[in-house]
């Protein structure tokens, strides 16, 4: 083909790509602008229904916040022009674990329009709406450093005051949550611990392995795929622990919880490490679970024998950019394509739309499971559906923001600790076709921890990296654990 024709073809392809990108951006702008309006409508609708059914409504994160600063280290709550001081310190509350993406999610229109942004800034100064601000006391601020300030909604303070005071504002499921025996089994237990599926020898186990699932999943992600495919030698050597994270599967789903990193880690420790007397262990984690795995490894550096991460959501945060906001925009860029990105964008940006989705899907998960079995003639296992459906909106919403987005500023420190203070092997697996968490995230981890081994699996995505290759992956894990035993011993 002549060079001139090739040049014309190249320009044509470039123009088509540019046109497609412009159309995609235009459609995305229209769709998410409409969703902004729809979410606002649902906000009022849910408040009305909550009040009718429960005689009160749980505050949401929609209200704008006015920055009210105190230098005493206390919390100033200002609502409808009336202010009061809440005598609780930020250290006790752990407000640093609450992501600002919960209550700072600007609409797409406001982000694109400069004039709208300026108007919002002016409005922010004059706004009289509900606010909560926490500031470190003067003696804790070093000279030459920026003042540390947290601004949060009054709903957060209300929930935290209830937890510290021993009260449970919303201990069980709300009207929009599922109340079946599977989802509420934790309410009949005297101990508030996670659901744990344990397999292997009880007394003479050589090592322990902890499996941590990802977002809106459950322990079945491991027990239905890997557990049946481990060799007899592995089953007689290792104790295998697969947990349902706080708020998911059969684990407790307290409606007054903020599902912070601390809460998740505490529940793992008191549900597995302490009762089973786990002294040293291997960790296998997927997606969101990788963040918890890193935090757990840093907290117990001498106990971790190997760290296996699948699709870790680690995004490099540019200097000077708010970490949580940056991560949210990477995970959920508000684009209509691909579909998994569209779903992630809705899950991150729209508090009330996601509650409506949970009302339709999670509350009626038994119906959807029945229809799935009926359509597939009972040939399809429903463990993925169970993991996807069996959670509350409160658990999913807070876990997504406080763990994935809120730890954006912490992961660098965790990875530095793994690199400098842990001796265990680090292995990373990532599906090449993963459209939710890009492969670059795994290579970002490797740049921070050079000894980490990254394996990219062709033709697999975020889920099929395990589900489609459970036998192969089981063998790979056994080899990793044997290597970990040699390194530590």
């Amino acid at each position: 083909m002549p060079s001139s024709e090739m040049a014309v073809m190249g320009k044509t392809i470039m123009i088509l790509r540019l046109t497609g990108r412009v159309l995609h951006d235009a459609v995305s702008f229209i769709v998410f602008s409409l969703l902004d309006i729809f979410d606002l409508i649902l906000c009022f609708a849910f408040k009305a229904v909550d009040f009718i059914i429960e005689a009160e409504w749980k505050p949401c994160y929609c209200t704008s916040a006015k920055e009210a600063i105190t230098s005493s280290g206390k919390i100033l709550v200002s609502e409808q022009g009336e202010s009061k001081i809440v005598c609780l310190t930020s250290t006790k509350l752990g407000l640093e674990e609450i992501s600002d993406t919960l209550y700072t999610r600007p609409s797409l229109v406001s982000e694109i329009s400069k004039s709208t942004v300026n108007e919002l800034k002016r409005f922010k100064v004059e706004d009289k709406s509900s606010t909560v601000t926490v500031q470190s006391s003067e003696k804790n601020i070093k000279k030459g450093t920026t003042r540390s300030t947290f601004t949060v909604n009054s709903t957060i303070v209300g929930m935290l005051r209830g937890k510290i005071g021993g009260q449970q504002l919303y201990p069980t499921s709300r009207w929009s949550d599922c109340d079946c025996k599977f989802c509420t089994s934790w309410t009949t237990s005297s101990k508030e611990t996670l659901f744990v599926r344990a397999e292997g020898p009880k007394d003479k186990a050589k090592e322990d392995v902890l499996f941590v699932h990802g977002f809106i999943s459950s322990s079945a992600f491991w027990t239905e795929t890997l557990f049946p495919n481990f060799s007899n030698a592995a089953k007689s050597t290792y104790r295998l622990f697969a947990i349902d994270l706080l708020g998911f599967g059969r684990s407790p789903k307290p409606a007054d919880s903020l599902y912070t990193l601390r809460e998740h880690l505490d529940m793992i420790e008191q549900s597995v490490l302490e009762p089973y007397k786990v002294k040293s262990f291997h960790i296998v984690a997927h997606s969101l679970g990788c963040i918890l795995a890193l935090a757990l490894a840093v907290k117990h550096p001498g106990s971790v024998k190997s760290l296996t991460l699948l699709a870790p959501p680690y995004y490099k945060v540019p200097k000077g950019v708010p970490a949580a906001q940056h991560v949210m925009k990477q995970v959920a860029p508000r684009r209509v394509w691909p579909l998994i990105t569209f779903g992630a964008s809705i899950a991150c940006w729209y508090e009330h739309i996601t509650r409506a989705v949970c009302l339709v899907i999670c509350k009626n998960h038994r119906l959807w499971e029945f229809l799935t079995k009926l359509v597939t003639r009972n040939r399809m296992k429903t463990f993925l559906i169970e993991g996807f459906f069996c959670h509350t909106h409160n658990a999913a919403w807070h876990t997504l923001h406080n763990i994935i987005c809120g730890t954006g500023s912490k992961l660098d420190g965790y990875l530095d600790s793994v690199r400098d203070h842990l001796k265990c092997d680090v292995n990373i697996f990532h599906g090449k076709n993963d459209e939710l968490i890009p492969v670059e995230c795994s290579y970002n981890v490797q740049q921070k921890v050079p000894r980490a081994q990254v394996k990219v699996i062709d033709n697999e995505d975020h889920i099929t990296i395990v589900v489609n290759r459970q036998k192969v992956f089981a063998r790979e894990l056994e080899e990793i654990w044997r290597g970990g035993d040699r390194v530590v011993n």
Side-chain angles (χ1 to χ4, degrees), residues 220-276:
F221 184 76
W222 311 109
T223 60
E224 296 290 332
T225 57
L226 295 179
F227 279 32
N229 288 292
F230 285 125
S231 66
N232 292 332
K235 292 179 181 179
S236 62
T237 302
Y238 303 100
R239 284 194 302 179
L240 311 175
F241 299 101
I243 59 174
D244 286 350
L245 290 174
L246 181 66
F248 299 90
R250 300 186 186 185
S251 284
K253 305 173 182 66
D256 63 342
S257 174
L258 288 170
Y259 296 89
T260 62
L261 182 69
R262 184 181 305 177
E263 288 177 280
H264 279 288
L265 292 184
D266 287 347
M267 288 296 284
I268 292 174
E269 290 174 332
Q270 69 187 45
S271 303
V272 180
L273 303 189
E274 295 171 6
Y276 289 94

Side-chain angles (χ1 to χ4, degrees), residues 238-488:
Y238 303 100
R239 284 194 302 179
L240 311 175
F241 299 101
I243 59 174
D244 286 350
L245 290 174
L246 181 66
F248 299 90
R250 300 186 186 185
S251 284
K253 305 173 182 66
D256 63 342
S257 174
L258 288 170
Y259 296 89
T260 62
L261 182 69
R262 184 181 305 177
E263 288 177 280
H264 279 288
L265 292 184
D266 287 347
M267 288 296 284
I268 292 174
E269 290 174 332
Q270 69 187 45
S271 303
V272 180
L273 303 189
E274 295 171 6
Y276 289 94
K277 295 180 173 56
V278 175
K279 301 301 181 183
S280 63
F281 54 100
H282 304 268
I283 305 179
V284 182
H286 176 240
S287 192
L288 173 143
C290 295
I291 299 174
L292 300 177
L294 288 170
L296 193 65
V298 170
K299 192 173 182 180
H300 302 273
S303 300
V304 178
K305 306 195 72 171
S306 74
L307 194 56
T308 303
L309 309 176
L310 287 79
Y314 171 55
Y315 300 88
K316 289 186 176 180
V317 180
K319 292 184 178 179
V321 176
Q325 295 288 333
H326 175 76
V327 172
M328 181 174 68
K329 291 175 182 178
Q330 295 297 311
V331 174
R334 285 191 287 191
R335 293 290 182 266
V336 296
W337 190 263
L339 289 177
I340 195 169
T341 300
F342 179 62
S345 298
I346 291 179
C348 270
W349 289 90
Y350 300 107
E351 179 180 2
H352 304 290
I353 292 177
T354 51
R355 185 181 175 187
V357 171
C358 285
L359 173 62
V360 174
I361 295 180
C362 297
K363 186 176 178 65
N364 303 287
H365 68 89
R366 290 160 294 180
L367 172 62
W368 296 112
E369 291 168 12
F370 169 76
L371 293 177
T372 300
K373 292 179 180 179
L374 183 64
V375 172
T376 62
R377 297 182 181 180
N378 208 28
R379 290 176 298 182
M380 177 181 175
K381 292 185 177 181
T382 59
F383 68 90
L384 289 176
I385 297 177
E386 289 179 359
F388 185 79
F389 288 168
C390 295
H391 64 271
T392 64
H393 172 255
N394 184 63
W397 178 255
H398 284 93
T399 298
L400 175 61
H401 283 277
N402 286 334
I403 304 302
I404 290 186
C405 300
T407 58
S409 60
K410 297 181 178 181
L411 288 184
D412 281 334
Y414 291 160
L415 291 171
D416 288 342
S417 294
V418 171
R419 180 193 63 213
D420 299 333
H421 303 299
L422 273 73
K423 299 180 180 180
C424 66
D425 288 338
V426 180
N427 293 273
I428 306 172
F429 295 82
H430 213 122
K432 190 174 184 178
N433 295 341
D434 193 331
E435 294 180 326
L436 183 61
I437 306 296
V439 176
E440 287 75 17
C441 286
S442 287
Y443 288 121
N444 290 342
V445 174
Q446 188 181 46
Q447 289 180 2
K448 294 288 291 184
V449 186
R451 73 175 184 275
Q453 300 294 317
V454 176
K455 183 174 183 179
V456 178
I457 312 299
D458 291 334
N459 304 318
E460 304 298 352
D461 58 28
H462 197 66
I463 300 298
T464 60
I465 189 175
V466 173
V467 175
N468 272 5
R469 54 189 303 274
Q470 54 263 41
K471 292 183 179 180
V472 174
F473 188 48
R475 300 289 87 75
E476 291 172 331
L477 284 177
E478 291 179 25
E479 182 60 30
I480 289 171
W481 299 339
R482 286 192 293 269
D485 294 340
R486 291 192 293 271
V487 169
V488 177

